[in-house]
Amino acid sequence: MTQPARRVPRPELPAAWLHALHERRRPVTSAEVTRARQFVDRSGVLPLIREALDARRRSPAGRPRTVSVEALLVGMTLASWRHQGRVVLADVTDLLAHQLPDRARTRLALPVWADDIDGFEAAYLAVRRTFHAVEMVMDPSPLPKHRIKRADAAALEAAADHADLQRRRVLLVEVTNRILEASLAPARTLIDEYWDGSVAVDATPVRTFSAGVHPSTEHTATDPDAAWYVRDGDHRDPSGTDEGRSRRRKARRTLFGYETTLAVLGDTTPARNLPPELRLPALALAFTVHKPGHDPAGNALAALTDMARRGYRSGWLAADRAYSSAQPATFHIPVHDLGYRPVWDYRRDQLGIQGTHAGALLVDGTWYCPNIPAPLINATADLLGKKIDPATWRHRVDARPAYRLRPKAAPDDRGARRLLCPAAGTHPTAACPIKPRSLGRDPRLVPIDPEPVPGGHPEVCVRESLTFHRDTGIRFRQELDHARPDWIRLYFHLRNRVVI
């Protein structure tokens, strides 16, 4: 005769843990609840989340949630304020269940839970159910949040609806940045009045509670969406890939987690001699969260695009080589169309001649006459290669502007602009025999001695000015001369604002 299955007793929460939770209690005032509700309303995330939840619900008459989305967000906001930004669902549960005034509980339609182990578990499950429902509509990953076999993870990713995952990611970026925007409300008037639109973008690692595992193991970590952050290179862990086998020994894993790409306000007010109280701090204006080293340019663009959606102006944009090395179609062109003026640095192998157009040379981000001397072209590359000393490098870099093509007019509405040959115009910076009007005008003009060309001189030499379209050289092009004083001041001033 078959014996009936024994009911496994539910493990009890330790009494000491519940006592410690009681010890942390501090009644919430009505003013605090009102302030938290106003913060949630100001963010505008409730309609977005409710719409996504309604779209995901399979039947019109679904199981009602004991804890509403509004109550959850109010509780998380209060917990964040009380714990210096740290939000733990156990604290949110105790706050909603036992710390709110009766009037606030009625307004948020919260039930009454007993103040014991059973009551806490019931309240916690209600809070957690709502939290996971909200999380689900914004989770851009198809993977469950526990350890699984890598083969199963790959199968889930292959079978996923990637259009739906992209919609979730877009919603995640908008919701999180709306919450960030609500926190910026006290400073928004000053930002709009005194900020010139300049930002710096960079990524910083965020450790997870999940312990990392080596990519060669059969199972993923308990957080399968996280990855190892590597200090060197592009921060992506090269282990387990054919491309990265040569780097495997050099890669230094720092932590297991995610990266957060930040767009940080770049304050240029010191140059305008404004008083200290009007100088803006290094505020994060937008952010995205992603795997370390995965699509840094795309994540930075998502943050900048969300800033534009929220009405922020655009100005200078400083970024390191992980962003300047991206593909133009996916970063440089969209960033240009958002109105940003880049301030780039370059890898050693990207220095020197970076492109040509009608004979003009793009050197370290700036268009120059094709007859600029080779030592000036390779100045920074030679310095990094220890072929010249810093004094020689500075002398050569300072000699470049005489060969620079100058803007004839502002760019048109399509981003095209006309540039003058350095020997052309009413104020030439060089004297060239191809343009006789530049000769004999000023003995201080740099003489250009063009080499004979069998097929004739390039177009940039025989014409006064030339049109450069928006996309011409856009991957490396920048307005400021690389390594010159204006570039140094602006690049490092902005970059220092985002260094973490």
Side-chain angles (χ1 to χ4, degrees), residues 30-61:
S30 296
E32 288 178 303
V33 177
T34 299
R35 180 169 163 242
R37 286 184 53 221
Q38 289 173 344
F39 180 87
V40 172
D41 290 342
R42 186 166 63 242
S43 71
V45 300
L46 267 177
L48 294 176
I49 295 174
R50 285 170 175 164
E51 181 182 357
L53 288 171
D54 290 342
R56 188 174 183 84
R57 186 175 297 165
R58 295 182 180 179
S59 62

Side-chain angles (χ1 to χ4, degrees), residues 325-405:
S325 301
Q327 293 302 313
T330 57
F331 187 65
H332 300 78
I333 292 174
V335 162
H336 176 278
D337 292 343
L338 287 173
Y340 286 99
R341 294 174 290 169
V343 187
W344 301 137
D345 195 12
Y346 307 110
R347 298 195 312 259
R348 183 181 301 187
D349 62 338
Q350 295 172 335
L351 294 166
I353 298 177
Q354 300 164 323
T356 62
H357 176 62
L361 302 179
L362 185 64
V363 176
D364 294 355
T366 301
W367 290 107
Y368 290 99
C369 164
N371 295 293
I372 181 174
L376 273 58
I377 293 175
N378 301 313
T380 303
D382 288 346
L383 174 70
L384 296 178
K386 299 183 179 180
K387 296 180 181 179
I388 58 176
D389 57 46
T392 303
W393 168 77
R394 172 52 57 196
H395 175 75
R396 291 180 180 178
V397 168
D398 289 345
R400 284 177 173 177
Y403 300 89
R404 193 183 198 271
L405 272 63

